[in-house]
Amino acid sequence: MSRTEQVVPLTATTRESILAAAQRLFTERGFDGTSLRQIADAVGTTKAAVYYHFPAKEHLLLELTRPWLDAMSALVTEIRSSERDGCDAESTLAAYLDLFVEHLPVLHMLTGDPATANHPDIGRRARTLVDSIQQRIAGPEPSDTRLVRAACALGVVHSVATLSIDLVSTHRNAILQAAVDALSDG
Amino acid sequence: MSRTEQVVPLTATTRESILAAAQRLFTERGFDGTSLRQIADAVGTTKAAVYYHFPAKEHLLLELTRPWLDAMSALVTEIRSSERDGCDAESTLAAYLDLFVEHLPVLHMLTGDPATANHPDIGRRARTLVDSIQQRIAGPEPSDTRLVRAACALGVVHSVATLSIDLVSTHRNAILQAAVDALSDG
DNA sequence: GTCTATAGGCAGATAGAC
DNA sequence: GTCTATCTGCCTATAGAC
């Protein structure tokens, strides 16, 4: 995080290897379904070594999800600061889609895990942030119809989790268009 | 299942209470995150009593998901039997949406649990069935664009999981329209 | 049909050597 | 910074009384 921001080091540190293994295993088996033993084995180390780098299993999850949650917070803050016009639902949808695509691996891990969904600093926080975005997209004092359409539009965005990153990248505009269409009418 | 098909008995049996509690807890905490102890306590009985009715924890999940999986199988079979025309994507989408709405509680339980996603008789089977439906919607030999649109259309359908049953019921046609629009172009 | 009691295992976490 | 060894507790599942 300090000076080698987005750069992947040539030699991954033990700490980074642990995080990478944890993300992969949490995605495959869920948080509860993954033991520290499995993470340690995947890295080729021991449970105690994991505990040297992280004070608890939970902190692996917090560390993995923080970048995405912080990006979501920034987006919501930005949305709120430019709250005068109510007609830029499309740009909000675009920003949300791009943020979703950028953090796809983390989201893939989260979307399928009730163990994280009820965690106050992860699932609860995420739902609050997504709700803020949904409200912004639906607009002020939305009708039921408008609420349903906003949910459909987010449903389109979330569907990228089922597609390959390649397909999402090359068809980003088509997906955004589908989301915008879902928000408008037929 | 036999003659009291959809009827809820006035006095729920212990077995039915166990299934109901399991569904609620699995939804809230996931399969791995729910212990038999918690299920037994919720019903007001003991772990051993649960084991009298079900041979293993896994069977609670199998029993809960079988109605939906069987309904999905029936839909896929029906789709395949009328395979000549490739232009009824809309009716397939409608059937899928209605099936999704009908089994919403079970789906709400499943969509958030990696423990079930990798179960061969549940998650794997479900993915196979959803894939069949997605292929049917995309049509024969689909382009990448068409594949992405089919995924977006299913994304709209799946978004009903985030809405109340009331809202979904009253706006079913609007949701279907949004799904159809996502499948077509903007 | 439902209970008590318990087996047997593995989880998360800690202490302290090196 | 990483190890071995171990603690404590809860888990699924079983055996057998009632």
Side-chain angles (χ1 to χ4, degrees), chain B residues 10-74:
Chain B
L10 290 175
T11 59
T13 66
T14 300
R15 183 188 161 85
E16 288 160 345
S17 300
I18 290 169
L19 280 173
Q23 173 149 348
R24 184 173 58 79
L25 291 170
F26 289 166
T27 303
E28 289 172 12
R29 317 173 186 189
F31 182 76
D32 281 334
T34 305
S35 70
L36 286 180
R37 165 90 188 212
Q38 292 168 330
I39 295 170
D41 285 354
V43 177
T45 181
T46 62
K47 285 192 294 178
V50 175
Y51 272 103
Y52 169 77
H53 291 285
F54 303 93
K57 188 187 179 186
E58 181 187 32
H59 278 67
L60 289 167
L61 201 57
L62 289 167
E63 192 112 343
L64 288 170
T65 53
R66 201 186 311 125
W68 170 63
L69 284 164
D70 287 350
M72 287 276 286
S73 284

Side-chain angles (χ1 to χ4, degrees), chain A residues 1-120:
Chain A
M1 283 297 181
S2 60
R3 92 174 67 169
T4 58
E5 193 85 16
Q6 304 257 14
V7 181
V8 177
L10 290 175
T11 60
T13 66
T14 302
R15 183 190 161 83
E16 287 160 345
S17 301
I18 290 169
L19 280 173
Q23 173 148 348
R24 184 173 58 80
L25 291 169
F26 289 165
T27 303
E28 289 172 14
R29 317 173 187 189
F31 182 76
D32 282 335
T34 304
S35 68
L36 287 179
R37 165 88 188 220
Q38 292 168 330
I39 295 171
D41 285 354
V43 178
T45 182
T46 62
K47 282 195 293 177
V50 175
Y51 272 102
Y52 169 76
H53 292 284
F54 302 93
K57 187 187 180 186
E58 182 188 30
H59 279 67
L60 289 167
L61 201 57
L62 290 166
E63 193 111 344
L64 288 170
T65 54
R66 200 186 311 126
W68 170 64
L69 285 164
D70 288 350
M72 287 275 286
S73 285
L75 176 60
V76 169
T77 302
E78 190 185 325
I79 282 170
R80 290 213 173 114
S81 71
S82 67
E83 64 179 26
R84 48 179 186 77
D85 47 2
C87 65
D88 60 348
E90 180 166 344
S91 66
T92 300
L93 221 34
Y96 182 55
L97 173 60
D98 291 338
L99 196 150
F100 204 103
V101 172
E102 189 181 355
H103 293 86
L104 208 47
V106 170
L107 292 163
H108 203 62
M109 177 180 81
L110 288 177
T111 49
D113 203 337
T116 73
N118 288 320
H119 191 295

